[in-house]
Amino acid sequence: MIKLPYNIHIVDIINWSIRCTGSRLNTTSSNIRHLTNVATISFVTTSILQVIAFYFAKENIEKLFECFSVLSFCGMGLLKLMSLRWKSHQWHHLLNQVQKLESAQIDAGNIDFVHSIQSYTIKYQTMSTILSRMYVFTGIIYILSPIIEFAYLKLNGDDPVYPHILPVWAPLDISTFGYLATVAVEIISAIYCVCVHVAFDLSSVSLMIFICGQFSLIRHYSENIGGNCKNLCISGENDERARCYIRYCHQTHNTLINSIRELEKLLKDILGIYFFLATLTLCSVAVRLNMETLSVTQLISLLQYLCATITQLFIFCLYGDAVQHKSSIGMGEGPYGAAYWCLSPKVRRELTLLAVGMSRPRQLRAGPFHVLNLPSFVQILRTAYSYYAVIRK
């Protein structure tokens, strides 16, 4: 894994993660472009073969649940890849807004701005490390599990079936070369699928952390609109200073609201599908744990896949919930906590309008039925358990 430097900005982190998928072909070398094209073709091919295997497994309930669990993960990878490639202009525009806002704050030389930026920079660097390591660990365990199990059974004198990394329809298994070619394509697809998930999830979560950090920044900044309260006399100089603060807070707040809207357009449909598939995936994994007799390697692979799915779902809901709460202010916060008695009546009205605008919470939606917050996370777990209870009976 590449270690990101400490002082890197959010856009650099996102560009680094997206570049690993080859989605920004104009910024990658020809060798990387060719590799990502091969990986994309392999990924699409194995996804089609998984759909065929899923259709043929309709009479075998155990095989059906196994195919569905992996197919849902790879299917979400395809949707995320299409978003990164087909909606690259929307991603670029959003990242440009982020970069301009952060660069302007750094260039201003305000020590409070710098401290706020450093604070949430540490947060999304930490989260980027957690997400990438979680996906890499999950991918490694999933790829190695069938190979380790095959080697163990072979050493014990059994005659196991040659393993596949993904549950695909494999018509080429009639020859050794065909089998090896199929497994090689499966390994490439699995690795590339992990890279796509890392790029999309890291980009989305990093933008949420940025938005939360910026809302906290303007909340603290707007508390100083009225000055330090030492001078109780209303003056034109203090009013002009307050207007500059109000103008900056209003512009920054509008930029953040537009960023939330653009981010929601990029995430809403994909996360809506993901919430539905995650519910079914959790249910299918629980059914397999209850119904099937699993080997140790299969059990380890299934449990870590279950934990990774829950963790991924929790992270999205956690930071969506943070955006919802950080985007609004309460009494005594932000403009409500400013020294309004030091301002003229006209500036007080402007301060009131700013406070009202900053009081409204903003939400990120996941499809038409869910809001990206922690109650939705609990609801998905409850729904998955309900499905599992019905199927078990």
Side-chain angles (χ1 to χ4, degrees):
M1 292 176 58
I2 300 175
K3 185 177 180 180
L4 299 175
Y6 174 78
N7 59 348
I8 201 166
H9 298 303
I10 183 172
V11 175
D12 298 318
I13 292 181
I14 297 175
N15 286 337
W16 167 81
S17 61
I18 293 178
R19 198 176 293 118
C20 292
T21 69
S23 297
R24 291 190 169 187
L25 300 180
N26 58 328
T27 61
T28 55
S29 65
S30 59
N31 292 332
I32 296 179
R33 187 181 304 121
H34 295 325
L35 288 175
T36 54
N37 286 338
V38 171
T40 302
I41 294 172
S42 301
F43 186 30
V44 174
T45 302
T46 54
S47 298
I48 295 173
L49 294 177
Q50 286 183 71
V51 173
I52 297 175
F54 180 76
Y55 175 78
F56 287 151
K58 58 185 179 181
E59 302 298 333
N60 187 339
I61 189 65
E62 295 182 359
K63 185 68 174 178
L64 188 68
F65 280 120
E66 178 186 0
C67 291
F68 176 78
S69 298
V70 181
L71 181 60
S72 62
F73 183 79
C74 294
M76 287 306 306
L78 278 176
L79 293 177
K80 292 175 179 179
L81 179 62
M82 288 189 291
S83 174
L84 293 174
R85 292 203 172 192
W86 294 354
K87 296 183 178 181
S88 59
H89 293 296
Q90 291 92 317
W91 283 102
H92 293 173
H93 181 262
L94 179 57
L95 295 179
N96 286 335
Q97 282 187 336
V98 169
Q99 191 171 33
K100 288 179 181 179
L101 178 58
E102 203 172 63
S103 298
Q105 291 171 344
I106 294 174
D107 294 339
N110 189 315
I111 191 65
D112 293 332
F113 288 173
V114 175
H115 286 165
S116 296
I117 292 173
Q118 288 178 345
S119 177
Y120 67 73
T121 297
I122 294 174
K123 291 182 181 179
Y124 64 66
Q125 285 180 347
T126 303
M127 184 50 58
S128 68
T129 303
I130 293 174
L131 273 177
S132 58
R133 288 180 178 177
M134 181 187 72
Y135 275 120
V136 169
F137 178 76
T138 302
I140 291 174
I141 295 298
Y142 187 82
I143 292 173
L144 294 181
S145 293
I147 299 176
I148 294 175
E149 182 180 10
F150 174 80
Y152 175 77
L153 294 175
K154 199 73 173 176
L155 290 174
N156 286 344
D158 297 331
D159 188 21
V161 178
Y162 284 99
H164 279 275
I165 307 302
L166 301 173
V168 299
W169 177 60
L172 300 180
D173 280 3
I174 55 177
S175 66
T176 303
F177 177 78
Y179 166 75
L180 293 177
T182 302
V183 172
V185 171
E186 291 172 11
I187 293 175
I188 294 173
S189 301
I191 295 173
Y192 188 66
C193 183
V194 170
C195 292
V196 171
H197 278 283
V198 169
F200 185 89
D201 294 357
L202 182 57
S203 302
S204 305
V205 171
S206 297
L207 287 171
M208 292 182 201
I209 294 174
F210 167 80
I211 291 171
C212 292
Q214 286 292 325
F215 273 123
S216 296
L217 186 151
I218 62 171
R219 177 188 293 115
H220 295 305
Y221 185 76
S222 60
E223 291 175 354
N224 298 318
I225 289 177
N228 55 17
C229 311
K230 292 182 179 180
N231 187 5
L232 299 180
C233 297
I234 297 175
S235 64
E237 181 181 354
N238 196 38
D239 283 352
E240 186 60 30
R241 173 186 172 280
R243 284 195 177 95
C244 291
Y245 272 63
I246 292 173
R247 190 181 305 114
Y248 180 81
C249 291
H250 180 70
Q251 291 173 349
T252 305
H253 187 261
N254 284 342
T255 300
L256 294 177
I257 297 305
N258 291 333
S259 298
I260 291 177
R261 290 172 180 169
E262 292 185 24
L263 182 61
E264 184 181 52
K265 291 179 182 178
L266 293 169
L267 301 183
K268 182 178 179 180
D269 294 337
I270 291 179
L271 290 184
I273 297 173
Y274 172 68
F275 275 26
F276 174 72
L277 291 180
T279 304
L280 298 181
T281 299
L282 294 175
C283 174
S284 64
V285 171
V287 170
R288 289 186 64 193
L289 290 172
N290 186 60
M291 293 177 57
E292 300 180 23
T293 302
L294 302 172
S295 63
V296 175
T297 55
Q298 287 177 326
L299 182 61
I300 293 175
S301 177
L302 200 60
L303 286 177
Q304 62 87 28
Y305 178 73
L306 174 65
C307 294
T309 301
I310 294 176
T311 303
Q312 181 190 39
L313 184 65
F314 175 75
I315 289 174
F316 270 108
C317 292
L318 175 66
Y319 285 104
D321 191 82
V323 170
Q324 179 178 336
H325 287 88
K326 292 289 186 181
S327 60
S328 63
I329 59 173
M331 298 304 297
E333 297 179 336
Y336 290 119
Y340 64 90
W341 55 85
C342 300
L343 306 174
S344 64
K346 185 176 181 180
V347 179
R348 291 181 190 179
R349 287 194 293 270
E350 297 175 4
L351 181 65
T352 303
L353 291 175
L354 175 65
V356 171
M358 293 177 63
S359 299
R360 179 184 174 187
R362 310 288 170 166
Q363 296 177 332
L364 288 168
R365 302 196 64 84
F369 307 113
H370 293 284
V371 176
L372 207 58
N373 55 21
L374 292 177
S376 295
F377 173 74
V378 176
Q379 180 183 357
I380 289 173
L381 295 183
R382 288 178 175 176
T383 305
Y385 179 78
S386 299
Y387 290 168
Y388 165 71
V390 171
I391 294 176
R392 186 179 60 179
K393 292 180 180 180

